Amino acid sequence: MKKIIVFASGSGTNAENIIKYFAASKIANVVSVFTNNASAKVIERAKNHQIPVEIFSKNELLDRNVLQKIQEIDPDLIVLAGFLLKFPENIIEQYPNKIINIHPALLPNYGGKGMYGMHIHRAIINNKEKETGISIHYVNENYDEGGIIFQQNIALTDDDTPETVAEKIHELEQKHFPEIIQTILEQ
């Protein structure tokens, strides 16, 4: 059975979706959730599914503390699902092509530091984009610049707001993220 660690900073809807998707899987299971936010809703979601949670500070992420905990688990894949901190190079070096992220836009557009959540959706509406989507990519030392694994676009209308864009993106994430994780683990 392959092991997945999920990193999340917020509400944890994608993390919970991944946990549920793999709960009955014969391929993999989510074995731990890591978060840098002691008040994140993802903690409650993980505990509701009896998934252990590691809470850490930014400093602990940057020193060897978090890497050590990851190494103890020895995951087959590390999944960033709404994780807002830059992922440290020492972990990336230890797990090349085993760390993936989901981004709520069609990279390379609307990527980089500070581009997450509603910031992206507002920018897309302000720029009168005709489409947006999701990108699932490998994580490297730069925000949102790792090799793209999968993208799915969705059309926008003149009536769309940042909130309706967020809903459309959430639907794409919920449908595609677990499926792409499974595909990667089956390779």
Side-chain angles (χ1 to χ4, degrees):
M1 183 72 74
K2 295 188 175 182
K3 295 182 276 189
I4 302 167
I5 294 176
V6 176
F7 276 72
S9 296
S11 71
T13 55
N14 277 321
E16 185 173 39
N17 189 42
I18 294 164
I19 290 166
K20 287 178 178 178
Y21 184 92
F22 287 100
S25 170
K26 292 178 174 44
I27 296 165
N29 279 49
V30 175
V31 296
S32 188
V33 169
F34 282 56
T35 185
N36 61 304
N37 180 353
S39 60
K41 189 154 173 53
V42 72
I43 297 166
E44 179 186 331
R45 291 181 193 272
K47 288 183 176 177
N48 287 342
H49 295 279
Q50 290 76 48
I51 304 294
V53 177
E54 292 286 342
I55 302 169
F56 57 87
S57 68
K58 185 175 182 180
N59 288 340
E60 288 171 315
L61 179 65
L62 298 175
D63 68 24
R64 302 203 63 79
N65 212 3
V66 172
L67 174 59
Q68 195 170 7
K69 288 178 179 172
I70 293 170
Q71 289 171 324
E72 289 168 11
I73 295 170
D74 190 28
D76 296 280
L77 192 64
I78 298 170
V79 176
L80 310 188
F83 185 68
L84 299 182
L85 297 180
K86 187 172 182 192
F87 220 65
E89 288 185 37
N90 67 333
I91 299 174
I92 295 167
E93 288 168 6
Q94 290 290 316
Y95 296 92
N97 295 319
K98 288 190 173 186
I99 307 169
I100 65 170
N101 181 45
I102 191 162
H103 187 75
L106 297 171
L107 292 172
N109 299 328
Y110 303 100
K113 186 175 172 68
M115 292 306 284
Y116 61 91
M118 291 305 284
H119 298 288
I120 293 171
H121 308 320
R122 280 189 206 99
I124 285 168
I125 292 299
N126 290 341
N127 291 333
K128 299 184 181 357
E129 298 287 357
K130 296 296 178 207
E131 70 174 10
T132 188
I134 60 169
S135 301
I136 299 170
H137 64 93
Y138 289 106
V139 173
N140 67 11
E141 65 279 357
N142 299 314
Y143 280 112
D144 304 321
E145 290 183 14
I148 292 175
I149 300 163
F150 173 85
Q151 288 185 310
Q152 180 66 53
N153 66 325
I154 191 162
L156 298 177
T157 68
D158 293 340
D159 296 332
D160 273 312
T161 65
E163 292 75 20
T164 62
V165 171
E167 289 171 19
K168 290 178 178 184
I169 292 298
H170 186 69
E171 285 179 29
L172 290 178
E173 291 172 338
Q174 295 284 295
K175 178 180 186 326
H176 294 290
F177 204 15
E179 294 170 353
I180 297 302
I181 292 168
Q182 181 170 326
T183 301
I184 291 166
L185 290 171
E186 288 174 336
Q187 292 175 351

